[in-house]
Amino acid sequence: MTGAVRAPAAPAARLGILVVYFLPDERLPILDLHLRAIAGRTSGPYTLYGVAPRVSDSVRQRLAREPQLTLLQFPPVQAVGSQEHAHYLDLLADHAVADGCDRLCTMDVDAFPIRPDWNAQLEKFLQQGSALAAVFRQENGDTALPHPSCCYFPAGFYQRYRPAFLPEAGPGADPAFTTFLARTGQKVDAGIGLGHVLWQHQLPWKRLLRTNQVNDHYLLAGIYGDLVFHVGAMSWTDRDFRQDRRQTPLLRLLDAVADGLRSAGLLRGRVAGLWRRANHLASRPLVRRTNQTFQTVLAALDADADGYIARLRGQPHLQLRPTP
């Protein structure tokens, strides 16, 4: 009896993981954890595409030892913060698509997968009809932002809509983008261009919500969809978060004053300078507390990353799959 002939299996989708490596030397342990977790927990063919502006030789040498990492060189830009981050993500996405990747996934340097089936699970969301799957920081007041700490989507989505990770806002911006921001109330950040495309075309997407059972901070040290861990605010000096500010009457008042001045078009020049100085003085106690929490999180990861994340998951008796 002749057995049925099976059609050859479709080749596994090739994944391009896009990372902008902003990192000082003292953060090398989190870089090592990030790279080892990706290497040890990613299934199927993948390539890490990275760019490392302004890093030291120590960081660059660690990156050079990663066999799956293609470190790219792009001309420097004047932009800073989320604008610089988004600019490099645009370039990395273009390169990964041109290099033949079928799937793209942005990831922050302080984010990493915590399950060996993380990308297979994200792929399931696409197969179920989602245009993309991404971290959604509802706890930070986000309403329409796929956060780039982990944002997984088909190359076809990117090729069809050509989203910028951070379109121009303010005067001269696309009116449709301005309307999107006004109607959703979403704060501008890297990844907002993807959110605009999803909103404009009414595309469904999978929001990876925070799943911590234990929280050391409302935003730092977050687990999303029980798939990905993100420290948060790695490149910040003053960790001064909006929800924390709302718990402090003086900072809440300063923010209300800033909103009023901004609406009146007065938050500029000398007025803006005076507000910044007042805010700097008033926010010092909060910044010190949050920075200390950040250092505590890093110390816990350095000491026992698997044990720390198991505690956040509410399962301290469990351990993650070891990374090589």
Side-chain angles (χ1 to χ4, degrees), residues 4 36 41 48 71 90 98 110 141 157 165 188 194 196 218 248 260 263 265 277-278 281 288 322:
R36 288 189 293 110
R41 298 183 181 129
L48 262 168
L71 196 59
D90 290 341
D110 59 337
F157 169 86
F165 277 86
V188 174
L194 302 178
H196 178 217
Y218 88 93
T248 306
S263 297
R277 284 194 289 275
L281 292 172
R288 283 193 292 271

Side-chain angles (χ1 to χ4, degrees), residues 48-122:
L48 262 168
Y49 297 95
V51 60
R54 304 183 309 281
V55 299
S56 70
D57 288 342
S58 297
V59 173
R60 196 169 293 278
Q61 287 167 9
R62 176 61 186 93
L63 294 172
R65 294 198 302 270
E66 197 63 26
Q68 293 300 113
L69 172 62
T70 298
L71 196 59
L72 301 168
Q73 299 290 331
F74 298 116
V77 293
Q78 297 300 314
V80 296
S82 58
Q83 291 179 324
E84 183 183 18
H85 187 191
H87 171 79
Y88 285 124
L89 287 177
D90 290 341
L91 296 175
L92 290 171
D94 288 342
H95 184 93
V97 169
D99 202 33
C101 289
D102 307 292
R103 297 288 185 266
L104 304 180
C105 183
T106 65
M107 193 163 287
D108 284 354
V109 66
D110 59 337
F112 52 86
I114 62 171
R115 281 173 44 176
D117 60 347
W118 74 280
N119 57 312
Q121 289 296 322
L122 294 177

Side-chain angles (χ1 to χ4, degrees), residues 212-245:
N212 293 49
Q213 297 303 304
V214 174
N215 286 287
D216 288 334
H217 183 264
Y218 88 93
L219 185 61
L220 298 174
I223 296 171
Y224 293 91
D226 200 37
L227 296 173
V228 176
F229 174 82
H230 182 218
V231 176
M234 179 60 64
S235 62
W236 290 34
T237 301
D238 290 353
R239 294 171 180 86
D240 182 0
F241 303 118
R242 68 184 77 160
Q243 301 293 359
D244 285 336
R245 291 176 65 87

Side-chain angles (χ1 to χ4, degrees), residues 86-303:
H87 171 79
Y88 285 124
L89 287 177
D90 290 341
L91 296 175
L92 290 171
D94 288 342
H95 184 93
V97 169
D99 202 33
C101 289
D102 307 292
R103 297 288 185 266
L104 304 180
C105 183
T106 65
M107 193 163 287
D108 284 354
V109 66
D110 59 337
F112 52 86
I114 62 171
R115 281 173 44 176
D117 60 347
W118 74 280
N119 57 312
Q121 289 296 322
L122 294 177
E123 181 64 26
K124 283 183 181 179
F125 297 135
L126 301 191
Q127 300 305 321
Q128 292 166 0
S130 293
L132 59 76
V135 165
F136 181 63
R137 300 194 306 176
Q138 188 175 41
E139 69 276 15
N140 198 41
D142 289 341
T143 61
L145 177 69
H147 196 268
S149 54
C150 181
C151 183
Y152 183 92
F153 52 96
F157 169 86
Y158 187 77
Q159 290 170 306
R160 177 175 180 181
Y161 296 107
R162 304 302 301 175
F165 277 86
L166 183 52
E168 181 182 349
D174 176 2
F177 182 59
T178 302
T179 298
F180 158 70
L181 295 178
R183 292 188 180 176
T184 62
Q186 176 61 54
K187 300 291 185 182
V188 174
D189 200 352
I192 191 62
L194 302 178
H196 178 217
V197 165
L198 296 167
W199 182 84
Q200 187 175 34
H201 297 279
Q202 293 297 290
L203 301 175
W205 62 288
K206 176 63 178 181
R207 293 164 170 81
L208 304 178
L209 299 175
R210 188 179 182 102
T211 53
N212 293 49
Q213 297 303 304
V214 174
N215 286 287
D216 288 334
H217 183 264
Y218 88 93
L219 185 61
L220 298 174
I223 296 171
Y224 293 91
D226 200 37
L227 296 173
V228 176
F229 174 82
H230 182 218
V231 176
M234 179 60 64
S235 62
W236 290 34
T237 301
D238 290 353
R239 294 171 180 86
D240 182 0
F241 303 118
R242 68 184 77 160
Q243 301 293 359
D244 285 336
R245 291 176 65 87
R246 290 173 183 170
Q247 306 306 312
T248 306
L250 178 56
L251 296 179
R252 192 164 63 242
L253 174 61
L254 279 168
D255 288 345
V257 168
D259 288 341
L261 292 170
R262 191 178 295 110
S263 297
L266 299 175
L267 192 63
R268 59 179 187 270
R270 185 182 178 191
V271 172
L274 288 171
W275 185 91
R276 283 193 295 269
R277 284 194 289 275
N279 179 69
H280 179 82
L281 292 172
S283 64
R284 288 310 88 193
L286 171 60
V287 167
R288 283 193 292 271
R289 289 195 303 272
T290 311
N291 281 353
Q292 181 56 57
T293 300
F294 175 81
Q295 294 298 335
T296 300
V297 169
L298 291 185
L301 290 170
D302 290 350

